[in-house]
Amino acid sequence: MTLDELIGTWEIVSYTLTKDDGTVFYPLGEDCKAYLIYTADGHVSAQMSAMGRPSYASHDLHDGTVEEMAAAAHGYMAYCGTYTLDLEHSNIIHNIEISMNPTWENQSQVRHISYDGEFLTITADVNTARLVWRKTK
């Protein structure tokens, strides 16, 4: 994979985790929606959502109940920052500046990448996540 091939917007094909017993599951559902954006100036943004999350009864962005906000957060993942491509080791490092999950903020996370000309597959050593992406047209 080259930097020029990486730059752009990618949409999720599948996001899976594997349990200790080998069972594969979809943490945000088989129909989750997600975009991963790499810019030419070195920025990354990731947004992932389970489909069918309920709206807040108030219809106000900042006025959901604790239960509504927890349910919304449970079905969503987002972060942004910068990235470094390490082609020698087939890695990309995401330097996370802002995240919906505050424990990820100010972290650098290594992801292993493989690209077959159509699908970008991303994995990491810290868990069993396997994300497959296709570039948007």
Side-chain angles (χ1 to χ4, degrees):
M1 165 165 257
T2 67
L3 181 59
D4 285 340
E5 290 172 321
L6 179 70
I7 293 169
T9 302
W10 299 81
E11 59 187 334
I12 198 75
V13 175
S14 69
Y15 168 36
T16 60
L17 290 171
T18 304
K19 295 181 182 180
D20 290 340
D21 67 3
T23 304
V24 175
F25 70 101
Y26 299 84
L28 293 178
E30 289 186 54
D31 63 344
C32 79
K33 299 286 183 191
Y35 289 100
L36 178 62
I37 302 168
Y38 292 104
T39 66
D41 66 352
H43 286 87
V44 60
S45 178
Q47 304 279 325
M48 301 180 71
S49 181
M51 294 292 90
R53 295 178 308 136
S55 299
Y56 296 171
S58 68
H59 300 288
D60 184 316
L61 172 66
H62 301 290
D63 193 28
T65 66
V66 170
E67 294 79 15
E68 288 171 329
M69 290 186 283
H74 184 72
Y76 202 83
M77 193 271 309
Y79 67 85
C80 63
T82 61
Y83 70 91
T84 305
L85 188 57
D86 175 7
L87 292 174
E88 181 180 345
H89 299 100
S90 297
N91 290 331
I92 190 161
I93 297 95
H94 289 180
N95 305 299
I96 300 170
E97 296 173 20
I98 300 168
S99 175
M100 186 177 163
N101 178 349
T103 61
W104 280 15
E105 290 182 358
N106 303 308
Q107 283 189 16
S108 293
Q109 297 186 359
V110 177
R111 277 96 159 100
H112 310 296
I113 58 172
S114 65
Y115 181 62
D116 68 5
E118 181 178 4
F119 297 106
L120 171 64
T121 301
I122 299 178
T123 60
D125 291 336
V126 297
N127 60 31
T128 62
R130 182 174 186 271
L131 296 98
V132 179
W133 303 88
R134 178 185 298 127
K135 204 169 219 184
T136 60
K137 302 204 186 271

